[in-house]
Amino acid sequence: MKIALALCAAAVLLSGLVPEAPVAARENRPLKCRIGAARRAQAPVGAALVANVPRAMTPVSLDAVQMNDRVWKKVIVEGLFARRTPTDTLEVMARLVNCTKAPLAVSVRSSFLDAGQAPTEPTSVWRIVHIAPLSMATYQERSMATTNVAHYLIELRSDQ
Amino acid sequence: MRGSIIIAALAATALAVPTDTASAQRKGTQAMELDPTGRGAISGVGLESRDIDMLADQVVRELMSRPDIVGGTTPPRIVVDSEKFYNDSSQRIDRDMLTGALRASFSRAAAGRIRFVSRESMDIVMRERELKRTGVADTGTRGMTQGVSGVDYQMIGKMSSLDSRDLKSGMVQRRTQIVFELVDLETGDLPWTSQPYVILRAAGEGVLYR
């Protein structure tokens, strides 16, 4: 009987049908990341930058965060926000999580593009964002151009 | 035959060595092309090349989102120069480089939403106005105005630092802070103060800024 129950439990776990515990139940617990789940996630459907030769480059999703290989095993994007300011410039924000147990300094910059994916302005300078161990930090940038900004791309890198 | 081959090989080696050495020396002394927004080849605890670009970029993007400054139908007139930019820090720096980078970024980003006025060039403006009004020069192609442009806002700023040194290890740490503000030249109000640009750096070996 016990074996049957255990098998049932295992089958349910493998099928991914385990109901997620309410978010509120997870407070007061140490932060843990599942980097593998983030890495296996499907690319978002939408606009992307592609090479002029098909398959010559990994498509870079727009309205998203692009990471380099030094960061993507350490940082998770918890939230990504974009909104218009009162002067119609675009303000983008990314809440980043440091999944390591060491302080992390990452460089972040933003590009703003029009509907045809042409740049509307020079790419912003690399800004250093310091993230404490197993903590969050928010990166924020604003465009200079106004209504012609249709897409953005946030690049994240680290030399550590 | 075999002997001549060995001699030829030795001669070739002897010729090759100075060339390689010269090449290595040339590589060591040649100037490098570096990204002005990157860390650079020499970096210390003070304000660096990348900080100037970061600071200008941050201030411009922040100001362009302010509806009270750029949201009106009539572009405000602003002075951006180093007259009221004070360097109280322990680092020697050309203040004009900071305000020049800021004005250049600002001017490109504004795209007509702000008008920039020069007070540094008042002497040449007054000289030309005098020439036009005395008939020595004609009126030019843009016509004449009763007075020069009045200014709505002036950008002011201050750079300050906090230095500390570990007497045992000789390690140096410096916090550098730069804050810009806009002064309303009619009322004296400060409608905008930038987010402080703060860097905190420590290094074991000093770099001379000059």
Side-chain angles (χ1 to χ4, degrees):
Chain A
M1 184 61 185
K2 281 182 183 175
I3 293 170
L5 278 172
L7 283 173
C8 280
V12 170
L13 276 170
L14 288 172
S15 67
L17 294 175
V18 178
E20 293 248 344
V23 175
R26 291 192 180 274
E27 65 182 321
N28 303 325
R29 287 187 187 184
L31 179 77
K32 282 183 184 172
C33 300
R34 289 163 67 194
I35 296 278
R39 289 171 65 182
R40 284 191 299 273
Q42 292 271 322
V45 178
L49 301 176
V50 291
N52 58 349
V53 175
R55 295 192 297 277
M57 178 186 93
T58 311
V60 177
S61 296
L62 292 179
D63 309 323
V65 178
Q66 172 75 19
M67 299 190 193
N68 79 350
D69 57 353
R70 294 253 176 122
V71 185
W72 81 320
K73 292 177 184 170
K74 299 176 181 173
V75 175
I76 279 181
V77 179
E78 186 278 331
L80 195 54
F81 313 94
R83 65 183 179 199
R84 293 278 170 193
T85 67
T87 58
D88 271 339
T89 59
L90 189 73
E91 182 179 43
V92 293
M93 279 178 279
R95 192 157 45 230
L96 309 168
V97 181
N98 175 5
C99 294
T100 72
K101 292 179 180 173
L104 202 57
V106 293
S107 302
V108 197
R109 71 175 180 181
S110 299
S111 303
F112 296 95
L113 303 94
D114 66 15
Q117 299 187 351
T120 56
E121 60 196 57
T123 304
S124 77
V125 294
W126 289 105
R127 210 175 292 287
I128 309 290
V129 177
H130 296 272
I131 322 176
L134 296 173
S135 301
M136 298 183 199
T138 305
Y139 164 76
Q140 182 181 12
E141 194 57 277
R142 298 180 185 96
S143 71
M144 296 176 186
T146 55
T147 48
N148 54 340
V149 178
H151 298 289
Y152 65 90
L153 170 66
I154 297 175
E155 291 172 270
L156 193 81
R157 75 173 187 191
S158 171
D159 301 325
Q160 290 180 338
Chain B
M1 180 62 185
R2 195 176 169 188
S4 61
I5 291 171
I6 291 168
I7 289 165
L10 284 172
T13 311
L15 283 171
V17 168
T19 317
D20 285 345
T21 312
S23 170
Q25 280 176 349
R26 200 164 53 240
K27 274 181 190 167
T29 55
Q30 269 186 333
M32 297 173 275
E33 283 296 334
L34 299 170
D35 176 8
T37 62
R39 184 180 286 271
I42 300 165
S43 57
V45 296
L47 198 78
E48 312 268 341
S49 165
R50 62 192 151 133
D51 296 308
I52 293 170
D53 290 317
M54 275 190 200
L55 176 66
D57 195 69
Q58 176 185 304
V59 168
V60 168
R61 289 177 189 277
E62 205 179 319
L63 257 178
M64 297 314 292
S65 301
R66 286 293 301 248
D68 53 338
I69 309 294
V70 296
T73 49
T74 309
R77 298 173 189 168
I78 296 181
V79 167
V80 182
D81 60 25
S82 59
E83 185 198 358
K84 293 288 178 189
F85 181 77
Y86 300 103
N87 177 16
D88 294 340
S89 75
S90 54
Q91 182 180 350
R92 193 178 164 195
I93 192 167
D94 180 358
R95 294 175 300 138
D96 282 328
M97 189 164 65
L98 260 173
T99 53
L102 182 60
R103 188 169 57 224
S105 300
F106 212 176
S107 183
R108 280 195 336 168
R113 286 174 283 176
I114 293 172
R115 276 179 61 190
F116 296 91
V117 179
S118 173
R119 284 287 180 259
E120 292 173 320
S121 313
M122 275 304 279
D123 55 338
I124 58 172
V125 174
M126 295 313 290
R127 187 183 67 200
E128 192 60 26
R129 285 175 70 88
E130 182 68 19
L131 291 174
K132 286 176 181 171
R133 277 151 186 79
T134 54
V136 176
D138 66 16
T139 56
T141 60
R142 309 297 302 269
M144 294 198 290
T145 57
Q146 195 177 354
V148 295
S149 294
V151 176
D152 299 310
Y153 303 108
Q154 178 152 355
M155 185 84 81
I156 64 168
K158 187 173 276 187
M159 175 172 163
S160 41
S161 66
L162 177 68
D163 291 58
S164 49
R165 176 190 287 269
D166 186 325
L167 293 175
K168 202 171 179 183
S169 66
M171 195 164 196
V172 177
Q173 178 176 288
R174 182 181 298 164
R175 173 193 165 102
T176 307
Q177 175 179 301
I178 300 176
V179 177
F180 280 102
E181 287 177 317
L182 271 187
V183 180
D184 186 321
L185 294 185
E186 190 63 32
T187 63
D189 290 351
L190 292 173
W192 172 83
T193 300
S194 73
Q195 184 186 333
Y197 183 81
V198 179
I199 50 173
L200 179 65
R201 290 181 183 138
E205 291 173 13
V207 169
L208 180 64
Y209 294 97
R210 53 182 186 171

